[in-house]
């Protein structure tokens, strides 16, 4: 291939670009459930699917392991994460505590401009076709994510690193998975508005309480799901 006779620097840059591209594509497929939880990861199959060599693919896989979207199973290899009922509840307990704290800090520290931007995020959510049809709520990431914006607005770097870095995509995966529960999208949207109003009023105590209740409601949603569908654990 022509790329193989380029300078080492160009080859390295191209490899990084390929790895980043396939990382984002596999990440999105896992988070959206297009690659099912518990699925075994086949490097040859992924290499063929995404038209990429094994080197950049392995870099992408390593990064996905760092985000806890892939796990290594002895004598099996990499699999898409599939949290048990207990592990998922633990994840939501962490969210309930840490995002509650982030909300309190955001009420104290977010600028008026940041709060206005957060309100515009909710306006965008409300116009989303899936939300209007009652099929789920807006699931874009980063600056378009209500929770992400609040965590960033807390001004606490360690908190942001934990919730917007290490755990972020894993949390998004399960937020999306349970987002189409009947009546939950509208209820969650109303809860978001009440949280935002508390932040705008600089009422950190109320903002924290409302966020904890909001995530607690999602946790109870998950518990009801597992009561209806017995947990088979990880395969």
């Amino acid at each position: 291939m022509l790329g193989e006779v380029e300078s080492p620097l160009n080859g390295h840059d191209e490899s990084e670009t390929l790895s980043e591209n396939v990382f984002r594509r596999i990440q999105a497929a896992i988070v959206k459930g297009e690659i099912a939880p518990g699925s075994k990861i086949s490097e040859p199959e992924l290499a063929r699917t995404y038209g990429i060599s094994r080197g950049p693919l392995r870099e992408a896989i390593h990064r996905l392991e760092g985000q806890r979207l892939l796990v290594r199973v002895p004598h099996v290899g990499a699999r898409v994460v599939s949290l048990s009922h207990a592990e998922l509840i633990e994840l939501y307990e962490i969210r309930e505590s840490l995002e509650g704290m982030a909300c309190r800090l955001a009420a104290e520290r977010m600028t008026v401009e940041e709060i206005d931007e957060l309100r515009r995020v909710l306006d965008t959510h409300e116009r989303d076709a899936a939300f209007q049809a009652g099929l789920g709520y807006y699931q874009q990431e980063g600056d378009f994510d209500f929770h992400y914006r609040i965590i960033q607005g807390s001004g606490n770097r360690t908190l942001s690193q934990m919730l917007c870095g290490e755990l972020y995509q894993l949390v998004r995966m399960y937020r999306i998975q349970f987002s189409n529960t009947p009546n939950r999208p509208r209820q969650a949207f109303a809860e978001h508005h009440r949280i935002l109003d508390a932040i705008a009023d600089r009422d950190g105590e109320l903002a924290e309480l409302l966020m904890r209740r909001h995530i607690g409601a999602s946790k109870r949603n998950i518990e009801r799901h597992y009561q209806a569908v017995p947990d088979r654990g990880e395969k």
Side-chain angles (χ1 to χ4, degrees):
M1 287 171 45
L2 289 176
E4 292 174 350
V5 296
E6 296 286 346
S7 71
L9 178 60
N10 288 340
H12 181 62
D13 289 347
E14 182 180 352
S15 175
E16 284 187 337
T17 302
L18 287 170
S19 180
E20 177 68 22
N21 179 267
V22 78
F23 164 71
R24 293 294 176 192
R25 291 172 68 186
I26 298 173
Q27 178 193 71
I30 292 172
V31 168
K32 293 175 183 177
E34 294 165 5
I35 303 177
S39 299
K40 187 177 185 302
I41 294 298
S42 165
E43 288 187 15
E45 184 178 339
L46 286 176
R48 286 194 300 271
T49 299
Y50 294 102
I52 191 171
S53 65
R54 299 286 281 275
L57 175 60
R58 283 173 180 160
E59 290 178 32
I61 287 173
H62 180 70
R63 290 177 65 186
L64 291 164
E65 288 179 47
Q67 290 189 329
R68 303 192 186 188
L69 293 178
L70 296 181
V71 293
R72 288 278 169 186
V73 180
H75 312 299
V76 175
R79 283 188 180 273
V80 177
V81 67
S82 179
L83 297 184
S84 67
H85 177 198
E87 290 169 333
L88 188 52
I89 293 303
E90 286 178 0
L91 179 63
Y92 271 72
E93 287 172 345
I94 291 169
R95 286 189 65 203
E96 193 174 342
S97 179
L98 295 185
E99 289 196 42
M101 182 198 307
C103 216
R104 174 171 51 81
L105 293 173
E108 299 169 0
R109 298 175 179 176
M110 285 183 82
T111 66
V112 172
E113 292 76 14
E114 287 172 332
I115 293 171
D116 289 342
E117 282 293 324
L118 192 55
R119 204 170 293 281
R120 281 191 279 273
V121 166
L122 286 188
D123 290 342
T124 301
H125 290 196
E126 191 169 25
R127 293 193 299 271
D128 181 61
F131 174 77
Q132 291 184 354
L135 301 176
Y137 42 82
Y138 196 67
Q139 290 291 357
Q140 294 299 317
E141 60 184 300
D143 285 342
F144 295 98
D145 178 352
F146 181 78
H147 289 261
Y148 181 95
R149 283 270 191 166
I150 289 174
I151 295 161
Q152 293 292 325
S154 74
N156 186 306
R157 291 185 181 181
T158 302
L159 204 54
S160 294
Q161 184 177 4
M162 293 172 67
L163 294 174
C164 295
E166 183 180 357
L167 295 174
Y168 183 62
Q169 296 297 340
L170 179 63
V171 167
R172 280 192 72 232
M173 174 180 168
Y174 283 99
R175 282 172 60 190
I176 290 173
Q177 183 173 321
F178 290 98
S179 68
N180 59 355
T181 303
N183 302 319
R184 182 57 190 155
R186 289 283 175 187
Q187 181 187 359
F189 184 75
E191 290 166 4
H192 282 177
H193 267 290
R194 288 194 288 272
I195 290 166
L196 177 54
D197 288 343
I199 291 173
D201 290 341
R202 305 301 185 184
D203 191 337
E205 185 177 351
L206 179 59
E208 178 172 9
L209 174 64
L210 291 173
M211 179 60 83
R212 290 180 67 103
R213 285 180 177 173
H214 172 63
I215 295 172
S218 295
K219 183 176 68 176
R220 288 190 296 276
N221 217 17
I222 292 167
E223 289 170 334
R224 283 192 293 270
H225 168 82
Y226 278 104
Q227 286 169 1
V229 181
D231 180 24
R232 296 182 177 88
E234 293 187 24
K235 300 294 183 185

